[in-house]
Amino acid sequence: MNDNAIENGLEFKLSKSGRKLLAVFTPSDDKLDNLTVEIINRRLEKHGFSHLFISEFGLGELLSHYNNATAEAFECEIGEQRDAKCEIAVSDDKLRARMTLTANFGGKALTLEAIQKAIQEKEITWGIVSTEKLDALLVKGTCTDVIIAEGLPPVDGIDAQFQTMMPNAIHDRKPKIDENGMADYRELGDIPIVHKDAVVMQRTPPIEGKKGCNIFGEVILPKVGADTPFSKDMTGVYINPNDENQLLSSVTGQPVAVPNGMTVSPILTLKKVDFSTGNIRFDGAVVIKGDVTEGMNVYALEDVVIDGSVINASVKSMGSLNIKGGVTGTSELFSNADINIKNGAQGSQDQTEEEKAKNTGKIVARGSVVIGFTENFHVEAGTDIVISKYAMNSQLMAGNKIFAGGKNGSKKSSIMGGSASALVQIKAVIVGSISGIKTHLQVGLNPYIQKRVTEMKNALIAKQSEQNDIKKILSFLDEHPEKSNEQTIAKLHRTMSKLTMDIKLSKEELQELMDSFAAVDNARVVIDRGVFIGTEVQIANTFWKADDNRGKSTFTLVRMGGAELYVS
């Protein structure tokens, strides 16, 4: 090694300790115009320093100083001698140890004994890889985060399990399908029940876990499976005297699952619901042989069957709702499944727009709504609305399809006045009326998202209006400080800050909703016999209005460069 050769004013040499590589420049006539990394690397190899660790930062500093046109004598550190390193990291759960080997640069090389010593210093005693694998890593020279020791994780115990013995049909009742593949929304079958002494739930005792061991040889105890007993909050059941892990029904009735148990509620049967019974709230199924009279409320966790009518009353069912009579006035019906009304819904007539907003009857189902007719009613269905006769001055909203007028006479309108909105299709016999009453039909957009967008826009306008009002008040108080106080100003500013944040969040939520508000392909309106003047058809954001009476019509959206409503 020659560490004293000077070329072009540049000399490379070791520090006094022998571990640092220095570059020394002395101004000379043969100084290079442009020193490069490639030239430096050739010089280092020539003088026997290429095996050392070379710092990129040091090289940059050398090039910067040397290539300066007025460079004066300088000295800088550009490299060093480094020993090989072995680093061992233990995971937080003490189940793994990972090793990183760094090669030496002119320093001491690693040995197998040094690696084994590093493992011993970490006090790792369990799950260490073989000596052969450690030796192979040593020969390789470098590695990063290689697992060299691995413990055995514990296997947690399993908690006591509770399995209902009830058939799925209890929570999955669906319309029957006839031989033609058509769904009969009127025939949903009987309400499922369990009989006295039937098995309703089986408990499986907890399963013991298995111990583990970490890389330090320490035993890891498993999580113990919880020995949870049957719930104490149960009625209508008892524990089998011959099997402490089995529940039997003590009555014939409707089974309802509760955490870690089962309740069997007998079906509640009433002649009618009026002042003699009071409002009804029942955690099971309800059968009412007569009417639900004015002002009364009925709530059930399961199906509700009413043989009579609902008269200006409220019925809410977490199952299906079947009414063999009709619905009148401002009644409100809700079902978490399907609603079937054999006759129809007759709302209040001759109301102002303000009165309609407050007093219109409502029928809302998460599933489908099947009904004879609707007049002056608001009807919503998560899937389909099926109206056998007609809808007059009603608001219909379906998450899938609307069918109207299947049992009408050939000349009677199926949908007249009001509006009908469905995501996929509206099918009716005749729409509008000879008087030209406005009748709006819309498909192609999710009516629920559209409703939410409208509500959010109105709320946003109200907040912005309130914000402007506060700005005006603050401006007035700023001009008339004698009419204000610190508490009032502080309260106004807090309200302003909250409104600003609310408006920002509302705009973001509204934008997200608008981004998801896409039109549905193949949406259509199908009218079997006729369309009267005054009828409006909207598919997505494209509109059509009947300026004269026409016969059988199908409305679809054609996209050829732009959206165009096609009538055939």
Side-chain angles (χ1 to χ4, degrees):
M1 177 187 298
N2 180 7
D3 60 352
N4 291 313
I6 300 175
E7 294 181 66
N8 309 114
L10 192 61
E11 175 187 9
F12 298 97
K13 66 179 182 178
L14 294 174
S15 64
K16 291 181 180 181
S17 67
R19 296 188 66 85
K20 304 293 184 182
L21 176 61
L22 305 176
V24 181
F25 171 71
T26 303
S28 66
D29 293 335
D30 63 342
K31 177 179 176 292
L32 298 172
D33 292 331
N34 182 34
L35 180 65
T36 65
V37 172
E38 290 74 20
I39 294 173
I40 294 173
N41 287 335
R42 288 198 298 271
R43 297 277 180 88
L44 293 176
E45 185 174 0
K46 177 181 177 181
H47 297 302
F49 295 124
S50 60
H51 65 291
L52 300 179
F53 176 82
I54 306 302
S55 166
E56 290 184 5
F57 176 82
L59 286 179
E61 184 179 13
L62 170 58
L63 292 172
S64 176
H65 287 309
Y66 186 94
N67 289 328
N68 189 326
T70 59
E72 298 179 354
F74 67 86
E75 177 182 297
C76 64
E77 180 182 318
I78 64 167
E80 63 181 359
Q81 185 185 82
R82 287 187 178 181
D83 298 334
K85 287 197 301 184
C86 172
E87 296 174 293
I88 297 176
V90 177
S91 62
D92 293 339
D93 59 9
K94 301 179 183 179
L95 285 173
R96 289 182 181 82
R98 297 178 183 272
M99 182 175 72
T100 298
L101 296 182
T102 305
N104 74 86
F105 293 89
K108 296 180 181 178
L110 277 173
T111 63
L112 179 61
E113 290 73 18
I115 294 175
Q116 291 172 332
K117 182 180 179 182
I119 294 173
Q120 291 174 1
E121 288 176 349
K122 288 286 187 178
E123 300 181 356
I124 298 170
T125 60
W126 204 93
I128 302 171
V129 299
S130 65
T131 301
E132 288 77 12
K133 186 169 182 178
L134 291 176
D135 203 33
L137 292 172
L138 185 63
V139 170
K140 187 178 178 182
T142 62
C143 66
T144 302
D145 287 338
V146 175
I147 295 176
I148 53 136
E150 193 163 13
L152 178 67
V155 177
D156 290 338
I158 299 176
D159 297 343
Q161 303 293 306
F162 298 85
Q163 181 183 4
T164 177
M165 307 304 290
M166 298 298 96
N168 292 334
I170 286 180
H171 302 290
D172 192 24
R173 297 174 64 231
K174 295 180 179 180
K176 289 186 177 180
I177 308 298
D178 64 19
E179 62 275 9
N180 297 318
M182 299 296 292
D184 185 354
Y185 288 95
R186 293 176 177 79
E187 183 51 63
L188 300 177
D190 296 330
I191 298 174
I193 60 173
V194 294
H195 295 281
K196 188 176 182 298
D197 298 325
V199 178
V200 295
M201 179 164 281
Q202 185 72 45
R203 176 182 179 271
T204 303
I207 298 175
E208 186 178 350
K210 295 181 180 180
K211 296 178 181 179
C213 183
N214 65 27
I215 59 176
F216 302 118
E218 300 167 339
V219 174
I220 306 173
L221 297 177
K223 177 185 176 182
V224 178
D227 192 11
T228 307
F230 281 118
S231 171
K232 294 181 179 179
D233 186 22
M234 298 186 298
T235 59
V237 295
Y238 66 97
I239 295 176
N240 188 341
N242 299 318
D243 184 352
E244 63 180 7
N245 292 307
Q246 196 173 74
L247 277 185
L248 305 179
S249 173
S250 62
V251 296
T252 295
Q254 179 77 42
V256 178
V258 298
N260 309 327
M262 182 75 72
T263 292
V264 177
S265 302
I267 298 173
L268 180 64
T269 302
L270 302 164
K271 290 183 179 180
K272 59 183 177 179
V273 176
D274 58 10
F275 284 108
S276 66
T277 63
N279 291 329
I280 302 300
R281 182 179 178 86
F282 187 66
D283 294 345
V286 175
V287 174
I288 301 168
K289 298 296 185 180
D291 297 335
V292 180
T293 59
E294 187 168 357
M296 304 307 297
N297 296 324
V298 176
Y299 174 86
L301 280 181
E302 297 295 338
D303 297 340
V304 175
V305 176
I306 301 171
D307 289 344
S309 297
V310 178
I311 305 165
N312 285 334
S314 172
V315 180
K316 187 174 184 180
S317 168
M318 293 297 101
S320 65
L321 173 57
N322 287 274
I323 301 173
K324 296 180 181 179
V327 181
T328 63
T330 58
S331 295
E332 294 190 2
L333 309 181
F334 172 83
S335 168
N336 204 39
D338 301 328
I339 293 179
N340 190 326
I341 304 171
K342 184 176 181 180
N343 289 338
Q346 174 73 62
S348 301
Q349 300 181 22
D350 301 323
Q351 298 184 96
T352 64
E353 290 301 320
E354 184 176 350
E355 288 172 337
K356 285 182 181 179
K358 295 180 180 179
N359 301 324
T360 299
K362 292 182 180 180
I363 298 171
V364 179
R366 293 279 176 82
S368 63
V369 173
V370 178
I371 190 169
F373 69 88
T374 70
E375 289 187 20
N376 302 295
F377 245 83
H378 179 94
V379 183
E380 291 185 27
T383 55
D384 297 340
I385 295 176
V386 180
I387 303 170
S388 59
K389 295 181 180 179
Y390 66 88
M392 178 187 294
N393 295 325
S394 297
Q395 293 76 48
L396 312 177
M397 190 167 74
N400 189 40
K401 299 178 181 180
I402 294 175
F403 302 93
K407 293 186 177 181
N408 265 357
S410 60
K411 295 182 179 180
K412 190 172 182 66
S413 185
S414 308
I415 303 175
M416 64 191 92
S419 63
S421 301
L423 180 62
V424 178
Q425 180 180 341
I426 295 175
K427 181 176 174 61
V429 178
I430 300 173
V431 294
S433 72
I434 196 168
S435 64
I437 187 172
K438 179 181 176 181
T439 304
H440 185 79
L441 310 180
Q442 176 185 314
V443 294
L445 295 175
N446 189 315
Y448 290 96
I449 295 180
Q450 189 174 27
K451 179 181 177 183
R452 178 60 180 152
V453 167
T454 300
E455 291 172 349
M456 290 184 66
K457 285 182 176 179
N458 291 338
L460 186 59
I461 291 171
K463 288 177 182 178
Q464 290 172 330
S465 177
E466 184 180 356
Q467 188 183 51
N468 290 332
D469 290 342
I470 292 176
K471 286 180 180 178
K472 291 177 182 177
I473 294 172
L474 287 171
S475 178
F476 175 80
L477 294 179
D478 188 47
E479 295 174 1
H480 303 85
E482 73 279 3
K483 296 186 178 182
S484 66
N485 56 64
E486 292 183 2
Q487 291 81 1
T488 301
I489 295 295
K491 184 177 180 180
L492 287 169
H493 278 294
R494 286 195 299 272
T495 304
M496 177 67 78
S497 297
K498 185 177 184 304
L499 281 171
T500 301
M501 180 59 70
D502 289 346
I503 289 171
K504 179 177 180 295
L505 294 175
S506 294
K507 286 182 177 180
E508 292 174 355
E509 184 181 353
L510 181 60
Q511 187 59 51
E512 289 179 5
L513 206 57
M514 293 294 290
D515 290 342
S516 66
F517 195 30
V520 173
D521 291 334
N522 301 321
R524 62 182 54 224
V525 175
V526 179
I527 310 303
D528 289 340
R529 295 199 179 104
V531 179
F532 279 111
I533 187 171
T535 300
E536 298 175 349
V537 176
Q538 176 183 347
I539 301 182
N541 294 314
T542 305
F543 296 78
W544 177 90
K545 184 174 182 179
D547 295 322
D548 51 21
N549 299 333
R550 58 180 291 122
K552 180 178 180 180
S553 303
T554 298
F555 302 83
T556 55
L557 195 65
V558 178
R559 301 179 186 276
M560 298 180 64
E564 182 177 351
L565 202 152
Y566 177 72
V567 185
S568 62

